Amino acid sequence: MTSPLPPSPSAVPVLDLAPVVPVVVVADAADAVPLARALVAGGLPAIEVTLRTPAGLDAIRAIAAEVADAVVGAGTVITPAQVSDSVAAGARFLVSPGWTDSLLAAMQASGVPFLPGVSTTSEVVALLERGVREMKFFPAQAAGGTAYLKSLAGPLPQARFCPTGGIGPANAPEYLALPNVGCVGGTWMLPQDAIEAKDWALVERLAREAAGLRRPFSAGGTSR
């Protein structure tokens, strides 16, 4: 996407914020702001900060307060309490690796966009039944990859996905070429050694390369 993001993503589907959503695991909340600035400078404004570490909420809070061009979200959201805590910290979207009825109800009541995780056809159908059309497909490669998503596109064309898990620069274009994929999630632009060395220039360069991934031109002559 080349146009500026709106002040709030509430009217913009999560899948349309950017072609690649970095999945960020922050060990030290002090790294959150410079890391987010590097990602945004590289063209990846939608940033999923996972709640896998104790620093997750503090990282979301810092990015929301200090990186105006970032659209920060919370990932690995697995409880209703984490939904409310994440939104209170400033998360502008929510991502879960899976879902339950209570977690889904909390996300639907949160007031922000969300992507519940699925890995089976039955889970997709159950979400469609509940009015949810945008989902995270996880773990993407282990759950069947592009072949599985192609198979879902025929009977369930109304479902759209953000595949995450086992995706890198080599196979991301294959996912983005699918009609039912809006974006992909990944960590390849966040090498651990670069973060430990606080090499934000490298993160920015890798983010820029990832941001260059776009949906190929369709038969109608449009592209993402």
Side-chain angles (χ1 to χ4, degrees):
M1 295 174 67
T2 57
S3 58
L5 289 169
S8 169
S10 58
V12 178
V14 179
L15 301 186
D16 295 329
L17 290 172
V20 178
V21 177
V23 180
V24 179
V25 181
V26 178
D28 184 351
D31 290 336
V33 168
L35 188 154
R37 285 175 175 157
L39 292 171
V40 170
L44 299 181
I47 302 170
E48 176 189 336
V49 177
T50 72
L51 301 185
R52 301 178 198 174
T53 69
L57 286 174
D58 286 337
I60 292 170
R61 194 173 292 111
I63 294 170
E66 300 184 45
V67 189
D69 293 331
V71 179
V72 63
T76 322
V77 176
I78 59 173
T79 68
Q82 287 180 328
V83 170
S84 56
D85 289 345
S86 297
V87 174
R92 296 169 66 184
F93 64 92
L94 305 168
V95 184
S96 69
W99 64 280
T100 63
D101 286 334
S102 60
L103 178 59
L104 182 64
M107 290 191 291
Q108 288 177 317
S110 69
V112 300
F114 59 91
L115 295 174
V118 297
S119 60
T120 69
T121 306
S122 293
E123 290 171 317
V124 175
V125 172
L127 285 177
L128 291 174
E129 190 177 75
R130 291 162 172 80
V132 179
R133 296 176 182 271
E134 297 197 339
M135 312 165 196
K136 171 177 178 173
F137 180 55
F138 175 83
Q141 283 291 95
T146 56
Y148 194 94
L149 289 172
K150 286 178 184 177
S151 298
L152 291 180
L156 302 172
Q158 64 271 54
R160 298 178 69 218
F161 301 94
C162 173
T164 305
I167 298 177
N171 61 359
E174 299 173 14
Y175 282 93
L176 290 170
L178 298 177
N180 56 350
V181 169
C183 64
V184 299
T187 61
W188 73 87
M189 72 298 297
L190 301 161
Q192 189 59 39
D193 54 351
I195 295 175
E196 291 174 356
K198 304 188 188 305
D199 188 351
W200 310 126
L202 175 57
V203 172
E204 179 179 341
R205 178 174 65 80
L206 294 175
R208 184 169 292 107
E209 292 174 359
L213 299 173
R214 293 290 190 275
R215 184 182 302 283
F217 282 97
S218 69
T222 60
S223 64
R224 246 181 67 78

